[in-house]
Amino acid sequence: MSRFFHGDSSSESSSSDEEELYSEGEEAEAADSDEDSEEESGSDEDSSSDDEGKAKSGANKFLKSDDEESEESSDEERPTLVKSAKDKRFEELEATIKSIENAEKINDWAHISSEFDKLNRQVAKLVQSGNTPKVYVKAIADLEDFMNETIAKQKVSTKKMNATNARGLNAVKQRIRRNNKDFTKDIDSYREDKDAFMESEDEEDVAPVEKPKRSRKAAAALDDLADDEGFSTVGKGGKTLQFTPESILKNLRTIVESRGRKNTDRVEQIRVMEKLYEVAQTPYQKIRVLLSLVSTRFDLTSGAANFMPQEQWKLAENEFRSLLDILHANPQMVVLENAEEWEDDEKPPPTPAPGEYLRIPGSIVSFVERLDDELTRSLQHIDPHTAEYIERLSDEAVLYSNVVRGMLYVEMLARDTKLETPQESINRVVMRRLEHVYFKPSAVVNTLEEKTWEDIPGHLESNVTPRGSVDSAVLVRTLCTYLYQHSEGIIRARAMLCHIYFLALHDDYYRARDMMLMSHLQETINNFDVSTQILYNRTLVQVGLCAFRAGLIYEAQNSLQEICGSGRQKELLAQGVMIQRYSQVSPEQERLERQRQLPFHMHINLELLECVYLTSSMLLEIPLLAQTGSSPDIKRRIISKTYRRMLEYHERQIFTGPPENTRDHIMQASKALAAGEWKKSIGFVQSIKIWDLMSEPEKIKQMLSGQVQEEGLRTYLFTYAPFYDTLAVSTLASMFDLSERKVAAVISKMISHEELGAALDQVNSAIIFRKGVELSRLQSLALTLSDKASGLMESNERILEQRTQGTANAFDRNAQGGGRGGRGGGRGGRGRGDSRIGQGGQGGRRPGGTQFTGGALGGSGAIRA
């Protein structure tokens, strides 16, 4: 019956009518769609349906037939499916996600780009009405991973993507990173444990609707069980998991056996072990739980690209500290790597007799190394110019305290020979401690040591580093000496490099240099691993900086030449990845390179390093250029190719403005020093602001001023010596603002090294130059021309010998013989006995031209004949 004939106007009737109409409308739409899909059915059915439609006319078409009534009654008996607007939106969202997944299979980025925009428009309406759908979080996280894989493959692949796909990929790349920032927390949760993240949605959506009674019962059972001695947890399917002190070992075995398996919920395992630790009563149970708990926390970040979150790292550090407290309080229980596991989970192991030990399998040293590695990896991924990096760096003091406590525990085990503690374990933890102090200034190390020993209980002592030794130099020397005596191979080499680095950092150049030379590491460093080679490069650079601070310019330039002259300082010191333009670096190699990068607080200032290197090169190269310019007979020698290229490029500039950076300052200073304007050169060098980063900058500037004055004097003497017969020492002293004694010392050194052809008259305090030794400009050019001509002749002779295969006079055209001259004479029949062979070999000139005689080879043939 039509709704217009209803007399009841209540809200219930109206709402029920609306629902009925809504359902009937949907059914009509479904029927229409069915009819459209069945248009290709038989023609008889179509014609019969048309006849029935025509038969009903007039009032009869408003009346229902018996068949329609029976169909309507059967439809009313069926359950009608009424979808809300939210469900419809969810279906549309899932359809779009499915379309994106299909496009990913064929790598159709143009389609993915359009569908991704559509997906974001659809999810905007759902987010307004509630939480973000987890299927959407899954979709955008998987899409971002797929995009990163595609980009990585494109870098390596030789086949390029077509233009349409490339535009779609770039569009998705720009939009997805901006879009995913709003869902970072959900994406991280999904990537940590995908199955748990998606299952939580089912529990939230399904549990309250389908089984409300069961959830209440489970909650009531949980409350009842909580009053008992143990505690209980409801797992999947509503099963109650109960933990008691007696079941701790059994539950631990279950967790350990599931380690490494697929779809293992590590977060749930950690939660279970935390409750097991609360229930544990004996020290043995606590030790076993803590060993498994710390290991499982480290398993949360199994990927090399990830790093451990700060919260998880601090929890692992607290648990490791608790483990050491329990072990120190119960010395009869020891954790050893080579211990056998207790197999019986039903009962605890027996209490050891006096003098005996209960051995528990585990590794304290591995925990120390993993904590250290995770902190380093975390510092690598944090922006060093933010407050977050400073906050994270503060955890290093806590870590150092744990390293020292771990070292004390391993030392305690090593005291008893029955435990057979391997020496390598002690070496590893001592090396970790050394690597935390070797690059720090003395004041920082002293403060760190004081705070560390304050946190360590008073009854714990160390045989390697006693409690009273706070001096940093003594500490580093003690740790290195221990490793020299008890280790070999790579650990010993690293200890030596750390010791040299520390000495160079604290201005003990000569000891650092002697240790570096006696170690002979420069001969074998290529056989070591990459991290040790990086440490060697850092040590070499630090020795060079130490020599520069001591005023030893030549030694500083020699030490820095290998690293700074290559132009790859950043890469060689592990302070950044240099992606070259045409280099074929695979994503795996790039990932390994990034893993080796040092944290920012361990970096050596590259700008300061370049400034020191260029300044040292300037002080050596400018006098050398003046010497070779005035004496061409001296073989040309280049000390620094990098500096020479920069200087030549600067000289080619038509207009040079005021210096802006470090390189400009040094190039301008070089130009002024070569022209004899040493005061201007000092001004350029001292105006470099980078010197303020060094300790005692005023002392450094004063040292540089003296060096520039001396090298200015040497440059002047090399340049103008040919124009002087005698020169008073007092004149030079006034020109360069040096004492006469210093000038005399510099000149005597130049004479003794045969750099200057002169004699020093000490009576008259003058320099007497020897004439005839220095060449004039014309003589120098003549010598240069003769050298080039002789070189050209030699090259011609070599080419001739190659072409003639050693045959003399092969190209000698003899006009008298009418043929080619050779060893057998001309082709006219003259042999070796002919008296005119000499004329054929060296023959007279043909009129109107010159004759090629075959060079030296031709002459030798003639002499032999």
Side-chain angles (χ1 to χ4, degrees):
M1 185 181 290
S2 175
R3 74 180 203 134
F4 297 104
F5 296 98
H6 277 284
D8 188 9
S9 61
S10 64
S11 60
E12 292 181 2
S13 62
S14 62
S15 62
S16 63
D17 292 340
E18 288 174 2
E19 288 181 3
E20 195 171 88
L21 282 170
Y22 186 76
S23 61
E24 286 176 2
E26 284 190 346
E27 288 173 5
E29 290 175 6
D32 292 340
S33 63
D34 291 340
E35 287 176 5
D36 293 338
S37 64
E38 293 173 359
E39 282 179 356
E40 295 179 359
S41 60
S43 60
D44 296 336
E45 293 176 5
D46 294 336
S47 61
S48 63
S49 62
D50 293 341
D51 293 341
E52 288 175 3
K54 290 176 181 177
K56 291 181 181 180
S57 60
N60 290 332
K61 67 180 180 182
F62 295 104
L63 301 177
K64 293 180 181 177
S65 64
D66 295 336
D67 295 337
E68 289 178 352
E69 286 180 358
S70 62
E71 286 177 6
E72 201 170 278
S73 61
S74 64
D75 289 340
E76 287 177 358
E77 290 174 2
R78 295 178 192 166
T80 58
L81 180 62
V82 181
K83 292 183 180 178
S84 65
K86 185 177 180 181
D87 291 338
K88 289 182 179 179
R89 290 193 185 110
F90 263 109
E91 287 182 359
E92 292 174 358
L93 188 74
E94 290 173 352
T96 307
I97 292 171
K98 186 67 176 174
S99 176
I100 290 176
E101 290 174 353
N102 292 335
E104 286 177 359
K105 293 176 183 177
I106 60 174
N107 209 21
D108 187 358
W109 283 100
H111 185 70
I112 291 173
S113 177
S114 61
E115 290 296 305
F116 181 64
D117 294 340
K118 181 180 175 184
L119 182 70
N120 288 332
R121 289 195 299 269
Q122 290 171 348
V123 83
K125 299 176 183 178
L126 289 169
V127 171
Q128 291 173 1
S129 59
N131 295 330
T132 306
K134 296 194 176 180
V135 290
Y136 173 74
V137 174
K138 176 180 180 297
I140 60 176
D142 292 344
L143 180 59
E144 186 177 10
D145 294 340
F146 180 70
M147 180 195 70
N148 292 332
E149 289 177 10
T150 306
I151 293 172
K153 288 177 183 176
Q154 283 298 312
K155 287 181 180 178
V156 182
S157 175
T158 55
K159 186 178 180 181
K160 297 300 180 184
M161 191 181 287
N162 61 47
T164 308
N165 261 1
R167 282 195 298 269
L169 178 59
N170 289 333
V172 173
K173 179 181 176 182
Q174 292 171 2
R175 285 197 288 266
I176 198 168
R177 290 179 178 169
R178 197 164 53 242
N179 178 72
N180 286 12
K181 286 180 182 178
D182 301 332
F183 306 99
T184 305
K185 187 176 179 182
D186 292 334
I187 292 173
D188 292 342
S189 302
Y190 168 73
R191 284 176 175 162
E192 281 180 8
D193 198 332
K194 298 182 179 180
D195 296 331
F197 182 81
M198 300 308 293
E199 282 173 7
S200 63
E201 179 189 24
D202 299 336
E203 291 171 6
E204 289 172 4
D205 295 341
V206 177
V209 178
E210 291 186 354
K211 301 178 182 179
K213 293 182 180 179
R214 183 178 295 179
S215 62
R216 286 181 194 142
K217 288 180 181 178
L222 182 61
D223 293 338
D224 294 338
L225 288 167
D227 298 332
D228 296 338
E229 184 180 355
F231 64 91
S232 61
T233 303
V234 178
K236 292 181 180 179
K239 293 181 181 179
T240 302
L241 303 175
Q242 188 172 2
F243 303 110
T244 60
E246 291 76 20
S247 66
I248 285 177
L249 297 179
K250 189 180 294 184
N251 289 312
L252 274 180
R253 182 172 293 279
T254 305
I255 291 171
V256 170
E257 287 176 353
S258 66
R259 245 182 114 184
R261 289 184 184 174
K262 204 173 181 182
N263 300 328
T264 303
D265 188 356
R266 296 192 183 96
V267 178
E268 180 63 28
Q269 287 182 346
I270 289 173
R271 196 178 299 116
V272 168
M273 283 190 285
E274 285 175 347
K275 294 187 177 180
L276 286 175
Y277 182 68
E278 294 173 3
V279 174
Q281 294 178 346
T282 63
Y284 176 76
Q285 291 175 341
K286 291 181 179 179
I287 291 171
R288 287 287 304 274
V289 173
L290 286 173
L291 286 171
S292 300
L293 182 55
V294 176
S295 299
T296 310
R297 286 199 192 278
F298 288 139
D299 287 345
L300 285 175
T301 55
S302 56
N306 299 328
F307 62 94
M308 199 170 183
Q310 187 174 3
E311 299 77 16
Q312 291 292 333
W313 189 90
K314 287 188 174 180
L315 289 171
E317 185 271 327
N318 288 329
E319 288 152 4
F320 178 70
R321 186 181 289 268
S322 303
L323 175 63
L324 289 176
D325 289 337
I326 296 170
L327 289 172
H328 283 303
N330 300 274
Q332 73 278 9
M333 297 181 184
V334 294
V335 176
L336 294 173
E337 295 181 14
N338 53 4
E340 294 183 1
E341 190 173 356
W342 180 254
E343 298 292 340
D344 192 355
D345 296 334
E346 299 297 331
K347 59 180 181 179
T351 305
E356 297 295 327
Y357 295 99
L358 176 59
R359 300 165 191 252
I360 306 170
S363 177
I364 298 297
V365 179
S366 297
F367 284 165
V368 170
E369 291 178 335
R370 190 64 191 272
L371 281 171
D372 190 9
D373 292 340
E374 290 296 340
L375 179 62
T376 302
R377 197 178 298 171
S378 174
L379 291 171
Q380 285 174 346
H381 286 80
I382 298 173
D383 184 3
H385 304 292
T386 59
E388 183 185 0
Y389 187 89
I390 304 298
E391 181 186 355
R392 195 75 180 94
L393 189 59
S394 63
D395 293 332
E396 190 185 12
V398 181
L399 173 64
Y400 184 75
S401 177
N402 284 327
V403 171
V404 175
R405 291 199 64 180
M407 176 180 162
L408 296 178
Y409 182 74
V410 179
E411 278 187 60
M412 185 186 74
L413 298 181
R415 292 190 192 113
D416 196 335
T417 55
K418 291 188 295 184
L419 295 175
E420 299 178 355
T421 306
Q423 182 63 40
E424 184 187 358
S425 299
I426 308 177
N427 294 341
R428 281 159 58 195
V429 72
V430 170
M431 191 69 228
R432 289 282 173 168
R433 184 178 178 185
L434 179 61
E435 286 177 348
H436 276 277
V437 298
Y438 80 94
F439 63 92
K440 293 185 172 77
S442 292
V444 177
V445 177
N446 294 340
T447 307
L448 187 63
E449 279 288 311
E450 287 177 7
K451 297 204 170 188
T452 300
W453 285 107
E454 286 174 4
D455 295 339
I456 296 174
H459 65 277
L460 298 178
E461 290 294 338
S462 171
N463 293 336
V464 180
T465 56
R467 184 181 285 267
S469 61
V470 183
D471 186 21
S472 60
V474 175
L475 173 67
V476 172
R477 185 173 66 250
T478 305
L479 293 174
C480 293
T481 305
Y482 182 85
L483 291 175
Y484 297 155
Q485 294 172 353
H486 298 91
S487 67
E488 57 185 12
I490 196 166
I491 292 183
R492 187 174 185 180
R494 290 183 69 85
M496 192 167 293
L497 289 171
C498 290
H499 197 181
I500 296 169
Y501 189 103
F502 184 83
L503 291 173
L505 185 65
H506 294 84
D507 294 331
D508 196 348
Y509 169 73
Y510 291 103
R511 282 186 62 197
R513 181 201 62 183
D514 294 343
M515 284 188 66
M516 179 68 88
L517 294 175
M518 287 189 296
S519 67
H520 296 285
L521 283 173
Q522 60 271 19
E523 300 168 5
T524 59
I525 191 62
N526 292 327
N527 301 327
F528 290 98
D529 61 333
V530 178
S531 60
T532 307
Q533 293 180 20
I534 290 169
L535 179 58
Y536 174 82
N537 293 339
R538 285 166 52 80
T539 305
L540 195 61
V541 164
Q542 199 60 247
V543 170
L545 293 175
C546 178
F548 182 80
R549 290 193 296 268
L552 305 171
I553 302 300
Y554 179 76
E555 289 81 357
Q557 204 277 340
N558 266 348
S559 299
L560 299 177
Q561 173 67 37
E562 190 174 354
I563 304 298
C564 299
S566 65
R568 297 165 52 221
Q569 302 95 300
K570 190 181 291 187
E571 185 180 352
L572 293 174
L573 298 176
Q575 296 182 189
V577 180
M578 296 182 66
I579 306 298
Q580 297 181 1
R581 190 172 181 183
Y582 299 106
S583 64
Q584 294 293 331
V585 180
S586 65
E588 181 68 18
Q589 290 175 331
E590 186 177 347
R591 183 180 63 81
L592 290 173
E593 190 70 27
R594 292 190 184 281
Q595 282 181 13
R596 288 193 286 262
Q597 300 305 301
L598 294 172
F600 184 76
H601 67 281
M602 296 178 67
H603 285 192
I604 297 172
N605 193 313
L606 294 179
E607 189 179 353
L608 175 63
L609 185 62
E610 183 187 34
C611 182
V612 169
Y613 173 69
L614 291 179
T615 305
S616 303
S617 300
M618 175 190 75
L619 294 173
L620 296 177
E621 283 279 8
I622 296 300
L624 183 63
L625 286 171
Q627 185 181 10
T628 54
S630 61
S631 303
D633 52 334
I634 298 175
K635 187 177 180 181
R636 288 188 177 273
R637 185 164 59 96
I638 297 177
I639 295 176
S640 171
K641 290 183 179 179
T642 307
Y643 173 80
R644 285 282 181 100
R645 280 197 299 268
M646 289 183 187
L647 189 61
E648 289 171 1
Y649 175 78
H650 189 267
E651 288 177 349
R652 284 199 301 268
Q653 299 298 314
I654 298 172
F655 172 75
T656 54
E660 296 178 356
N661 52 27
T662 304
R663 289 185 183 181
D664 291 347
H665 279 87
I666 294 174
M667 292 302 111
Q668 297 272 28
S670 303
K671 209 169 179 181
L673 184 60
E677 299 176 348
W678 60 270
K679 288 184 180 179
K680 191 175 179 182
S681 178
I682 289 175
F684 281 124
V685 171
Q686 290 189 348
S687 61
I688 300 174
K689 296 181 180 178
I690 199 73
W691 302 126
D692 296 334
L693 298 180
M694 301 183 79
S695 58
E696 301 180 355
E698 293 302 323
K699 186 178 176 183
I700 297 293
K701 291 178 181 178
Q702 186 178 357
M703 179 271 294
L704 286 173
S705 300
Q707 292 287 345
V708 170
Q709 286 172 302
E710 288 184 26
E711 299 305 326
L713 171 61
R714 284 164 49 82
T715 305
Y716 182 83
L717 289 174
F718 283 137
T719 306
Y720 298 106
F723 305 100
Y724 282 103
D725 289 327
T726 59
L727 182 60
V729 173
S730 57
T731 305
L732 291 174
S734 61
M735 286 174 63
F736 292 96
D737 199 12
L738 292 170
S739 63
E740 293 187 11
R741 187 173 181 179
K742 185 68 175 176
V743 172
V746 171
I747 294 170
S748 299
K749 193 174 181 181
M750 293 174 68
I751 294 171
S752 65
H753 290 171
E754 297 183 358
E755 295 174 342
L756 187 66
L760 185 61
D761 185 359
Q762 294 183 351
V763 177
N764 298 319
S765 186
I767 309 169
I768 302 172
F769 294 94
R770 294 200 297 269
K771 287 299 176 182
V773 178
E774 301 293 343
L775 302 176
S776 65
R777 184 67 177 166
L778 181 60
Q779 292 171 330
S780 301
L781 291 173
L783 281 174
T784 305
L785 180 62
S786 66
D787 289 342
K788 289 183 178 179
S790 62
L792 185 61
M793 287 179 62
E794 289 176 2
S795 64
N796 285 341
E797 288 173 3
R798 282 195 296 270
I799 294 170
L800 177 64
E801 187 175 0
Q802 289 173 2
R803 290 188 177 182
T804 61
Q805 297 180 354
T807 304
N809 300 331
F811 297 100
D812 186 9
R813 293 176 176 83
N814 193 352
Q816 298 175 359
R820 293 184 179 180
R823 292 193 180 188
R827 290 190 178 182
R830 288 190 172 89
R832 289 180 180 268
D834 197 330
S835 60
R836 298 179 65 187
I837 282 182
Q839 298 177 4
Q842 297 284 338
R845 297 165 64 93
R846 282 190 299 177
T850 59
Q851 179 179 5
F852 180 65
T853 61
L857 290 176
S860 63
I863 291 169
R864 283 199 301 271

